[in-house]
């Protein structure tokens, strides 16, 4: 409002918990736009639709994101992709922490990207908020029936849903622009090594799988060997023959430079036939100069060995093979191996040990990164939220307190201004509204027809059921209703004042006035109404009141109420006397008055009209409403007295 | 007399509460989340209310925190007592008619 004096900012405004609560809740001052938006919703969707839209249910009905499900899915995904399988308590702890860390990182990203918050996040953040007394005290002040302790407990235990609306507040708090910036800062400060951690986890997974497979193979073979040893112990005779045969076979094979494990009957026969052929050829050449007895002997031994080998094979091994009973051979062979011989036969022990060392090293690296990040996130988050509360929430709370103090001052100033203007309005125009106005065809304008005695009488009686506030409403409403019937100039002046009282809705000044102001106005103007009624001949002696009504009037208007009425009555008559000489004010206005008060005359001589009118109605102070003619009004009564206007006859 | 609420009654209740809510917004600072919570509470409670009595109990309790709903309580109570009220109005009218007129 242009004419409103805005006081200096109330820097001394006291910051109370409710101001902090308002800041936490994201309340802002006088959100006219919001109100307009909601008013539109009310018109378009009616009451229930408006509430549905404001509550967010309308959107939920369309597509409600169920972050509980999303979180569950996320939890399942993490659980199922658990990379560490080693069953040790330490590894379990690491896995758990890796899982939590993963959730935290995802969640923080969600917050940063304005996503939905999972219950786990709400719980984590709540723990931090539970450490900020200003926060939970402010929240408690907002929820009827809650104490700071109960809110703190809910935050601490993660049972925020026990307090309706608390979850929304936490979410809004975390998703506010200020908090969003802080979370962005957290990410940059803690230097999230997610990719590095993920790579390490992948390497660890590969190594773990590889080692696991090898160890499983070793374990399996060890088990088989143990079974073999046990079998040999239990069945010594059965395997002794096989064992002796194998030993002999092995010995013979070794003498021939062969490995028993690689022997096949085809190979043995091929070798035997070849040596036999060479031996036969050599015997034929005994007389040859190059013949060597030594070679013949050597071939003979070899041939015998192969023959023996062939016999062993055919007699001992082939039947075992044919009988499908090779397992006994395997069992025997296994039982003879030492543990290290067994492992060497399965894996490269050196490589396995190296892999194990690499795995330990990578796990250590990952753990360090996780701990560092986790610690950074936790401490930074806590510090950040606390800092946010201190810097943002409390600052906003201070601003809220200051704004409230300022608004109170503004309201007071505005209210005083509105009250004064309304008083001026009634001072100057109320009595005009006591008339009935009609269009005068000869004068071509609005002219006074007669006093509206019925309305005056009804309004006087209204005091029995209305206090000063209600009476003020009736008087103001009368003027509002009548202004359309008044001459244009008067109406325009009234409209101008109405705009100053209620800029947004000039036609409804009543909504701009407080009950206190209306009460003051009623107290001032009701005696004037009664004075006018008495002047119009209403016998106040016949105005009957019950005991309680009389007491109420005494309380509302003071013990000098009747004196005030008489003062107004006398003033009314004196002013009329001054203007009209011996004319009787109670007899109604004659044609001449109507002509004088007609629109034509107003247009021809506005000043003269006003002077007459002021004289008739005892108006003072119009200069405040009609700038420029103030000095002339001082002589209004005298000038009006010179006007010879119609004959009025007193009834009293 | 605690009548069972009809669909029209509920519409009337929602509309009146909506008007009071808007009035309240103009006079009191209500944050967006507070508006949301208020709206949810109203929808939940009016939705499940079967009688005027239940509505009045809820709004009466509610208006202790949000005083701008207080006029609605009076209106709803008047709804319950509309029979009695009609009698009172008749008596008042008779009384007014019997008051002295302008001479």
């Amino acid at each position: 409002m242009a004419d409103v004096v805005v006081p200096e900012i109330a820097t001394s405004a006291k910051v109370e918990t409710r101001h902090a609560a308002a800041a936490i809740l994201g309340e802002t001052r006088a959100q006219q736009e919001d109100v307009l938006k909601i008013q539109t919703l009310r018109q378009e969707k009616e009451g229930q639709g408006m509430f549905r839209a404001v509550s967010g249910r309308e959107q939920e009905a369309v597509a409600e994101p169920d972050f509980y499900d999303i979180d569950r899915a996320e939890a399942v995904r993490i659980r199922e992709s658990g990379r560490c399988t080693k069953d040790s308590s330490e590894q379990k702890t690491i896995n758990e922490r890796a899982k939590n860390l993963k959730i935290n990182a995802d969640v923080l990203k969600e917050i940063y990207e304005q996503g939905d918050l999972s219950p786990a996040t709400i719980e984590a953040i709540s723990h931090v908020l539970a450490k900020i007394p200003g926060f939970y005290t402010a929240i408690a002040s907002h929820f009827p029936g809650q104490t700071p302790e109960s809110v703190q407990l809910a935050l601490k235990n993660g049972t925020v849903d026990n307090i309706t609306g608390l979850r929304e507040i936490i979410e809004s708090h975390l998703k506010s622009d200020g908090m969003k910036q802080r979370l962005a800062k957290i990410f940059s400060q803690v230097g999230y090594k997610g990719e590095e951690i993920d790579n390490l986890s992948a390497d660890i997974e590969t190594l773990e799988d590889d080692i696991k497979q090898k160890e499983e193979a070793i374990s399996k073979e060890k088990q088989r060997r143990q079974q073999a040893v046990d079998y040999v112990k239990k069945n010594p005779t059965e395997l002794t023959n096989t064992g002796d045969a194998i030993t002999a076979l092995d010995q013979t094979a070794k003498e021939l430079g062969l490995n028993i494990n690689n022997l096949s009957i085809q190979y043995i026969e091929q070798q035997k036939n070849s040596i036999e052929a060479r031996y036969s050829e050599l015997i034929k050449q005994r007389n040859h100069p190059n013949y060597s007895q030594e070679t013949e002997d050597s071939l003979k031994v070899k041939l015998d060995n192969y023959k023996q080998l062939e016999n062993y094979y055919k007699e001992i091994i082939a039947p075992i093979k044919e009988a499908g009973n090779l397992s006994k051979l395997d069992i025997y062979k296994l039982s003879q191996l030492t543990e290290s011989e067994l492992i060497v036969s399965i894996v490269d022990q050196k490589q396995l040990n190296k892999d194990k060392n690499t795995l330990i090293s990578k796990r250590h690296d990952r753990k360090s990164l996780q701990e560092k990040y986790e610690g950074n996130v936790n401490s930074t988050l806590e510090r950040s939220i606390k800092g946010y509360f201190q810097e943002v929430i409390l600052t906003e709370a201070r601003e809220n307190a200051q704004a409230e103090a300022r608004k109170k001052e503004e309201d007071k100033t505005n209210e005083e201004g509105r009250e004064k203007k309304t008083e001026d309005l009634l001072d100057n125009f109320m009595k005009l509204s006591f008339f009935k106005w009609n269009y005068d065809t000869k004068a071509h304008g609005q002219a006074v027809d007669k006093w509206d005695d019925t309305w005056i009488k009804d309004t006087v009686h209204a005091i029995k059921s209305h206090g000063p506030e209600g009476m003020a409403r009736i008087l103001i409403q009368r003027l509002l209703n009548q202004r359309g019937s008044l001459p244009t100039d008067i109406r325009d002046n009234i409209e101008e004042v109405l705009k100053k009282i209620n800029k947004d809705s000039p036609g409804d000044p009543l909504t701009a006035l407080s009950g206190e102001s209306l009460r003051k106005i009623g107290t001032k103007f009701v005696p004037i109404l009664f004075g006018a009624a008495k002047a119009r001949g209403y016998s106040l002696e016949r105005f009957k009141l019950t005991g309680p009504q009389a007491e109420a009037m005494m309380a509302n208007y003071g013990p000098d109420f009747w004196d005030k009425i008489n003062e107004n009555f006398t003033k009314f008559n004196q002013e009329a006397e001054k203007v009209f000489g011996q004319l009787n004010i109670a007899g109604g206005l004659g044609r001449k008055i109507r002509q004088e008060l007609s629109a034509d005359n107003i247009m021809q001589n506005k000043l003269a009209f006003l002077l007459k009118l002021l004289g008739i109605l005892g108006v003072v102070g119009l200069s405040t409403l009609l700038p420029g003619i103030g000095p002339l009004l001082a002589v209004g009564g005298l000038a009006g007295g010179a006007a010879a206007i119609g004959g009025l006859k007193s009834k009293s | 007399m605690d009548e069972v609420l009809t669909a029209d009654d509920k519409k009337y209740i929602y509309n009146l509460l909506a008007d009071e809510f808007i009035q309240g917004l103009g006079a009191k600072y209500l944050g967006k989340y507070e508006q949301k919570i208020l709206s949810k509470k109203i929808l939940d409670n009016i939705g499940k209310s079967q009688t005027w009595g239940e509505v009045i109990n809820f709004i009466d309790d509610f208006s202790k925190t949000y005083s701008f709903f207080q006029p609605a309580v009076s209106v709803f109570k008047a709804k319950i007592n509309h029979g009695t009220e009609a009698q009172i109005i008749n008596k008042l009218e008779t009384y007014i008619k019997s008051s002295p007129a302008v001479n």
Side-chain angles (χ1 to χ4, degrees), chain A residues 191-202:
Chain A
Y192 177 52
K193 304 283 186 190
E195 200 179 337
E196 209 173 318
I197 292 173
D198 286 346
N199 288 341
L200 276 170
S201 293

Side-chain angles (χ1 to χ4, degrees), chain A residues 68-87:
Chain A
Y68 292 95
D69 284 346
I70 291 169
D71 185 62
R72 275 203 295 276
E74 175 72 358
V76 168
R77 188 184 70 72
I78 290 165
R79 194 167 58 242
E80 288 181 349
S81 68
R83 284 162 177 157
C84 302
T85 52
K86 193 173 178 182
D87 187 18

Side-chain angles (χ1 to χ4, degrees), chain A residues 12 185 194 235 308 392 432 496 528 568:
Chain A
S12 60
K185 211 172 169 184
N235 306 284
Q308 194 179 12
V392 181
L432 287 182
E496 204 165 312
I528 297 174
N568 278 292

Side-chain angles (χ1 to χ4, degrees), chain A residues 418-524:
Chain A
R418 281 193 289 268
E419 191 180 305
K420 177 74 175 60
K421 287 184 179 67
T422 310
E423 281 188 18
D424 287 347
L425 190 73
L426 292 175
D427 266 335
N428 294 304
F429 300 115
M430 182 177 79
K431 287 174 188 169
L432 287 182
S433 73
F434 293 178
F435 289 113
K436 279 189 173 179
W437 295 75
N438 277 331
Y439 185 76
D440 188 318
T441 48
K442 289 185 180 173
H444 302 293
Q446 290 298 115
V448 169
D449 182 23
K450 59 182 178 181
W451 292 94
D452 192 347
D453 288 330
T454 308
W455 178 82
I456 293 172
K457 186 200 82 173
D458 290 347
T459 310
V460 163
H461 278 273
I463 201 169
K464 292 176 182 173
S465 54
H466 292 79
E469 186 180 332
M471 290 302 290
R473 286 179 184 279
I474 292 172
L475 293 175
I476 295 168
Q477 195 59 52
R478 170 71 178 181
L479 181 58
L480 291 173
N481 295 344
Q482 289 291 87
R483 74 185 192 279
S485 307
L486 297 173
T488 316
D489 274 25
I490 304 288
R491 186 170 65 226
D492 290 348
N493 278 299
I494 292 174
E495 294 289 348
E496 204 165 312
V497 183
L498 289 174
K499 274 181 201 165
K500 288 180 182 171
I501 296 172
N502 189 351
K503 176 179 71 172
D504 298 323
S505 179
D508 190 12
L510 288 167
T511 55
L513 292 164
S514 69
E516 179 60 20
S517 289
L518 286 168
R519 202 185 61 74
K520 282 187 198 167
I521 290 166
T523 310
K524 179 178 173 184

Side-chain angles (χ1 to χ4, degrees), chain A residues 194-245:
Chain A
E195 200 179 337
E196 209 173 318
I197 292 173
D198 286 346
N199 288 341
L200 276 170
S201 293
D203 291 349
I204 288 168
E205 184 184 12
T206 309
L207 279 170
E208 282 173 343
D209 284 347
D210 191 35
I211 292 169
K212 184 184 160 193
Q213 281 176 12
K214 285 174 179 170
E215 287 186 332
E216 276 176 1
I218 290 170
S219 171
K220 197 175 165 189
E221 284 306 297
K222 276 184 180 174
Q223 201 177 357
R224 286 182 64 203
R225 175 180 163 275
Q226 189 56 46
Q227 284 172 348
V229 170
D230 291 345
Y231 191 88
V232 170
K233 277 183 188 169
K234 282 181 187 170
N235 306 284
T237 314
E238 184 187 339
L239 286 171
T240 299
N241 292 336
T242 310
D244 289 346

Side-chain angles (χ1 to χ4, degrees), chain A residues 354-393:
Chain A
K354 199 177 162 190
D355 286 350
K356 282 184 174 177
N357 287 335
T358 310
L359 180 65
I360 290 167
S361 164
K362 283 183 184 288
R363 279 178 178 165
H364 178 263
D365 290 349
R366 185 176 69 171
K367 190 178 167 188
S368 299
L369 278 173
Q370 285 173 346
E371 281 178 346
K372 190 179 167 193
Y373 174 66
E374 205 171 6
N376 282 346
V377 168
N378 287 341
S379 63
T380 312
L381 188 63
E382 185 171 335
R383 202 168 57 242
S384 183
I385 290 178
K386 279 185 175 172
Y388 179 76
F389 186 80
Q390 291 294 335
E391 293 164 24
V392 181
I393 297 297

